[in-house]
Amino acid sequence: MSDPIQLGLVGLGTIARNQHLPSLEDVPALQLAAIASRHAGHETLPSYHDIDEMLAKEPGLQAVSLCTPPQGRFAQAAAAINAGKHVMLEKPPGASVSEVEGLARLAREKGVTLFATWHSREAAAVEEARELLAGARVKRATITWKEDVRHWHPGQEWIWQPGGLGVFDPGINALSILTRILPDPVHPVSAQLEVPENKQAPIAAKLEMETASGAPVAAEFDWRQTGPQTWDILVETDGPDVLLREGGAKLFVGGEPRISAEDREYRRLYARFAELIAAGESDVDLAPLQLVADAFLLGAQTRVEAFHDNP
């Protein structure tokens, strides 16, 4: 067996601690060797203030995983690629489509792997839903994606700034599943974005889309839901309806339960990253980010009442 790939992790926030760190422990092809974070350090690993310091002091690193906010990530990824490192990007892969396209071109020039990840595509039921829909005629699809921003992003101001995507930060997860499971590509027809008075990104959005074959797709995203959270995608077909619940962890076909499984999304992402590196390939699917960009372009923005406290 070959030695594990030496990996540096940039960003040590909630998603890194809850998902990336435990997932890396279960992927023997990768070995976490260093951390770069402005606000935190690892208990047992070398920790640096930023990616430039980490790259300078850890020349043995072969790959870098970026868990930082999308704003500013282009410079971090470009630094790693220019240093000859393979790069994995947390979703959304960048603040704009053109940024990530530029990184993909740079990675090709430098001969390294770039992996733009969509963790929700790795949910347990997504691939079976894709297989079920491959031979079906889709009549309609409906996304309902509602959660509580104060629970998932307390005090994180970057999500409300340009490039932070607002409610599309979780909503892009739904779009990543949608673009994976439908047999036809989709494009937005109209978008309504609700933007708080004191913010620059939407807290809620409604999209009307169509598949290439003309089937309507409706999506509703909202960050104001309290209590139980809703992450559902319903696809009506000429056969049994296909329903994904809990972000793709559960599958119902014709109303009957088919799959319910634990979360192993990030373990699958890191295993895939190692496979791409071994094969000398990249995976940069920007369809979900392009839909968000189109939504902002088409969006009729409605300003809503400002928050009375910090979201």
Side-chain angles (χ1 to χ4, degrees):
M1 294 179 64
S2 60
D3 293 334
I5 297 163
Q6 300 298 294
L7 180 124
L9 186 69
V10 183
L12 199 58
T14 300
I15 191 68
R17 291 189 179 275
N18 291 348
Q19 295 286 357
H20 290 258
L21 295 185
S23 296
L24 279 165
E25 292 178 356
D26 288 345
V27 181
L30 297 168
Q31 181 175 351
L32 183 59
I35 299 287
S37 174
R38 290 179 298 170
H39 305 298
H42 194 272
E43 296 78 6
T44 60
L45 292 172
S47 299
Y48 303 98
H49 181 262
D50 56 36
I51 187 172
D52 292 328
E53 184 183 13
M54 183 180 73
L55 291 172
K57 294 185 177 180
E58 298 286 343
L61 291 179
Q62 298 164 282
V64 171
S65 179
L66 297 179
C67 307
T68 52
Q71 304 98 323
R73 195 184 292 163
F74 176 85
Q76 295 171 334
I81 293 170
N82 281 318
K85 315 302 181 186
H86 310 289
V87 174
M88 174 168 149
L89 303 172
E90 174 64 271
K91 70 85 191 171
S96 69
V97 173
S98 56
E99 277 190 1
V100 190
E101 289 178 336
L103 291 175
R105 179 175 179 177
L106 182 61
R108 288 194 298 271
E109 292 173 353
K110 297 296 182 180
V112 298
T113 291
L114 181 66
F115 184 22
T117 68
W118 303 106
H119 68 83
S120 289
R121 287 183 174 178
E122 303 299 329
V126 170
E127 284 307 301
E128 181 151 347
R130 173 183 166 88
E131 292 174 6
L132 288 168
L133 294 170
R137 183 177 68 84
V138 174
K139 297 193 295 184
R140 178 183 301 274
T142 305
I143 295 172
T144 308
W145 218 260
K146 300 180 179 182
E147 58 184 61
D148 184 354
V149 65
R150 290 177 172 86
H151 174 77
W152 298 102
H153 292 279
Q156 296 182 17
E157 191 61 26
W158 64 266
I159 59 174
W160 302 109
Q161 297 168 351
L165 303 190
V167 75
F168 287 109
D169 181 74
I172 204 169
N173 292 331
L175 297 175
S176 74
I177 295 174
L178 183 78
T179 52
R180 179 64 182 167
I181 65 174
L182 290 188
D184 293 330
V186 297
H187 63 273
V189 176
S190 66
Q192 180 179 346
L193 312 180
E194 295 186 38
V195 181
E197 291 285 353
N198 59 343
K199 307 297 176 184
Q200 296 174 285
I203 192 170
K206 293 182 179 180
L207 301 186
E208 297 294 333
M209 298 175 279
E210 286 184 358
T211 69
S213 57
V217 180
E220 183 173 4
F221 308 112
D222 203 316
W223 247 350
R224 298 167 293 193
Q225 179 154 300
T226 58
Q229 312 286 272
T230 304
W231 301 295
D232 294 348
I233 300 177
L234 172 64
V235 183
E236 301 171 50
T237 77
D238 55 353
D241 293 345
V242 174
L243 172 62
L244 288 169
R245 309 206 71 172
E246 297 185 15
K250 294 184 177 180
L251 174 66
F252 297 81
V253 181
E256 297 296 323
R258 178 76 63 90
I259 292 176
S260 179
E262 64 176 359
D263 175 13
R264 296 187 61 84
E265 296 173 10
Y266 281 85
R267 290 165 177 81
R268 294 189 178 105
L269 286 179
Y270 275 110
R272 173 65 174 156
F273 187 35
E275 291 171 356
L276 288 169
I277 293 171
E281 299 175 353
S282 291
D283 184 349
V284 186
D285 180 4
L286 296 182
L289 186 61
Q290 184 65 63
L291 288 177
V292 173
D294 291 349
F296 275 97
L297 185 64
L298 292 172
Q301 297 194 12
T302 302
R303 292 282 172 178
V304 298
E305 183 179 358
F307 289 108
H308 296 294
D309 55 3
N310 194 325

